[in-house]
Amino acid sequence: MSKTVLITGATSGIGEATTRRFAKEGYNLIMTGRRAERLDVLAAELMENHGVKVMTLNFDISKRSEVEKAIGSLTGVWRTIDILVNNAGLAAGLDPIQQGSFEDWEQMIDTNIKGLLYVTRLVAPMMIEKGNGHIINIGSIAGKEVYAKGNVYSATKFSVDALTKAMRIDMLQYGIRISQVCPGAVETEFSEVRFKGDKQTAANVYKGYTPLTADDVAEAIWWIAARPAHVNINDLVIMPASQASPHYHFKDL
Ligand code: NDP
Ligand code: 8X3
């Protein structure tokens, strides 16, 4: 029987690449994001090319009522979710703490922590009822180390790290695996979002060294999901070879 994966933030970057990777393996897909048109285009492509079933859920993950409505709308086989990839997230701004924007802070906290919690709270009981499942959280190297001006973004990803460890304990008795993937720099729409559409500043983030691609991270996520049932990858930190930490890129040496 085909398996089902729910991937949040499937409209671009790591989420989109992960959706494509699982489609290639024949998984049925529940894809989420705010940009409905992108979801529809990708869904049509994946159904056509891989013959998989696709459900698109168009909602803002930071809004609890929207999450409840969207996940609550799943019925029948769409409730037998085998894998949840908690990917949707963002950085907003890059400012020292004394100059940070309240709006940016709230958006990051509401999306990266609260959004992840809302989805997990609604999907975990489905996995418990089914008797198995695997939740893969997308953290960050910023959830392992802090860097100048990364303050609140880092705090949200340190939270993902803590929640990953806590979920693993709570879910242990139900046979549900909990993993985390923590990437370093990945060239996606991430920096364009962080710098509010400033494409030049965003492009500069990836100049002078070779960043990861979304496909690199998707492959790591797929590898974690494909381990035998008795194996759990707790935490996988994946960096560009030319980036030793958030501070040190090959270009800076
Ligand atoms: P992108 O900006 O390319 O993708 C972000 C995805 O998250 C989009 O699909 C977006 O969908 C979704 N998203 C953002 N906010 C919301 C929201 N409020 N409601 C619903 N969906 C939302 O960035 P990445 O692919 O790089 O980021 C994916 C994850 O990886 C994030 O959690 C990020 O923190 C993490 N990460 C990224 C790294 C990088 O260097 N790029 C490194 C380490 C971790 P839409 O806008 O359509 O709603
Ligand atoms: C994204 C990686 O180092 O830009 O999570 O914060 S970093």
Side-chain angles (χ1 to χ4, degrees):
M1 203 177 96
S2 293
K3 290 190 169 181
T4 300
V5 61
L6 189 164
I7 299 168
T8 66
T11 55
S12 71
I14 295 167
E16 180 183 341
T18 304
T19 305
R20 289 180 187 283
R21 188 66 185 84
F22 278 83
K24 208 169 130 192
E25 301 296 335
Y27 271 69
N28 293 326
L29 308 158
I30 304 173
M31 302 163 34
T32 88
R34 289 165 302 180
R35 288 170 288 184
E37 201 190 325
R38 285 197 187 197
L39 287 177
D40 291 344
V41 170
L42 184 59
E45 180 200 316
L46 297 178
M47 284 189 285
E48 165 88 19
N49 291 349
H50 300 285
V52 294
K53 294 193 180 72
V54 182
M55 164 73 72
T56 59
L57 295 177
N58 176 216
F59 63 93
D60 184 336
I61 204 171
S62 69
K63 305 228 163 29
R64 180 154 66 95
S65 58
E66 288 191 26
V67 182
E68 285 176 326
K69 194 171 162 208
I71 305 291
S73 74
L74 294 172
T75 54
V77 289
W78 290 112
R79 293 181 71 81
T80 56
I81 296 166
D82 296 283
I83 299 173
L84 164 63
V85 182
N86 275 320
N87 164 75
L90 83 163
L94 186 68
D95 299 299
I97 200 81
Q98 71 280 9
Q99 289 168 8
S101 140
F102 290 127
E103 288 74 23
D104 286 351
W105 292 357
E106 280 162 7
Q107 191 185 8
M108 289 188 279
I109 291 166
D110 289 352
T111 309
N112 301 357
I113 305 175
K114 291 163 76 175
L116 179 146
L117 281 171
Y118 298 152
V119 174
T120 303
R121 174 66 184 84
L122 295 168
V123 172
M126 298 181 201
M127 290 180 167
I128 291 172
E129 198 181 325
K130 196 164 70 76
N132 58 46
H134 194 166
I135 300 176
I136 304 175
N137 294 329
I138 308 305
S140 170
I141 189 62
K144 304 285 183 187
E145 302 172 52
V146 293
Y147 56 91
K149 303 177 188 174
N151 41 59
V152 176
Y153 177 66
S154 263
T156 66
K157 290 300 184 176
F158 270 75
S159 291
V160 173
D161 194 52
L163 286 168
T164 302
K165 290 172 183 152
M167 283 180 198
R168 189 176 303 121
I169 297 167
D170 293 346
M171 293 290 112
L172 185 62
Q173 64 181 306
Y174 303 110
I176 294 166
R177 294 185 282 176
I178 310 285
S179 303
Q180 177 178 239
V181 177
C182 292
V186 192
E187 190 163 8
T188 61
E189 294 177 14
F190 177 85
S191 291
E192 220 177 297
V193 171
R194 171 173 247 173
F195 297 113
K196 323 270 165 76
D198 179 346
K199 287 184 194 292
Q200 192 52 57
T201 304
N204 286 341
V205 172
Y206 308 108
K207 280 221 174 99
Y209 70 106
T210 307
L212 295 171
T213 65
D215 286 341
D216 294 327
V217 182
E219 192 60 33
I221 294 169
W222 166 249
W223 180 78
I224 288 172
R227 291 310 86 217
H230 69 288
V231 176
N232 187 55
I233 305 300
N234 283 3
D235 202 3
L236 191 153
V237 178
I238 174 169
M239 300 290 288
S242 50
Q243 185 190 26
S245 81
H247 295 282
Y248 296 110
H249 300 83
F250 180 70
K251 66 175 177 179
D252 299 320
L253 301 179

